[in-house]
Amino acid sequence: MTTTTQQVNPAIPAAPATAANPVNAVLRTPPASPAAAAAYFSASLAFHADVSDVASALADARATGGDPGFVVIDSRSTASWDQGHVPGAVHLPTALVPEQAEQLLDKSVPVVTYCWGPGCNGATRAALALAELGFQVKEMLGGFEYWVREGFAYETWEGPARKEADPLTAPVDDEDCGC
């Protein structure tokens, strides 16, 4: 393996790639400045919630009889909802957000949307529609797929269900991944 070094301060131009000093694909475009990176990642956290964090907040609220401070919206179809959904979620398909959101939701309560998973942008479209109506909104990264893969309980038309956590998405012997 060849190791190359490259300047990573965008204010200082990177050394041109040469046969003796090739630039790898990772550093071909230099990283952003620390200030730009901090702004980007801070914004990302304002727009996204992690499946584990949502599950933890909901579990804490159930255990204490409190309120998690947000409502979870499943933006998928009725058939998808029946197949499985996050316990306590409100079913509001993306296409119905404009006509039903203001009747079902309180604008003073933040909303967390989800759809199937990382390959689906239904939660993003629902979040956009809700934001355009004046709601505070985040998208749950991983969607229902990762909710199930991380071993959290869910509800189906037949009743409660749960699967073992996938060791590629959640720790096997601990509830906390350390993130």
Side-chain angles (χ1 to χ4, degrees), residues 33-174:
S33 70
Y40 172 84
F41 292 117
S42 176
S44 180
L45 292 171
F47 296 114
H48 300 110
D50 178 272
V51 167
S52 294
D53 291 342
V54 172
S56 177
L58 293 175
D60 289 349
R62 276 191 307 275
T64 63
D67 182 344
F70 60 89
V71 63
V72 178
I73 298 294
D74 184 315
S75 65
R76 301 171 303 146
S77 69
T78 299
S80 300
W81 167 267
D82 288 346
Q83 189 173 327
H85 56 270
V86 171
V90 173
H91 184 220
L92 180 58
T94 301
L96 300 178
V97 168
E99 66 187 62
Q100 294 184 5
E102 291 178 333
Q103 296 148 1
L104 295 173
L105 305 170
D106 179 344
K107 285 188 179 178
S108 70
V109 178
V111 177
V112 176
T113 63
Y114 74 88
C115 60
W116 273 113
C120 177
N121 68 1
T124 306
R125 287 185 280 113
L128 172 60
L130 288 161
E132 288 174 338
L133 292 171
F135 289 90
Q136 299 171 66
V137 63
K138 289 187 173 203
E139 179 181 5
M140 185 173 78
L141 295 176
F144 185 67
E145 175 188 352
Y146 276 74
W147 185 273
V148 173
R149 289 183 73 186
E150 291 191 21
F152 299 117
Y154 57 97
E155 297 173 347
T156 73
W157 68 274
E158 296 176 307
R162 185 179 207 138
K163 294 186 179 189
E164 291 295 317
D166 179 340
L168 296 176
T169 65
V172 176
D173 298 325
D174 196 352

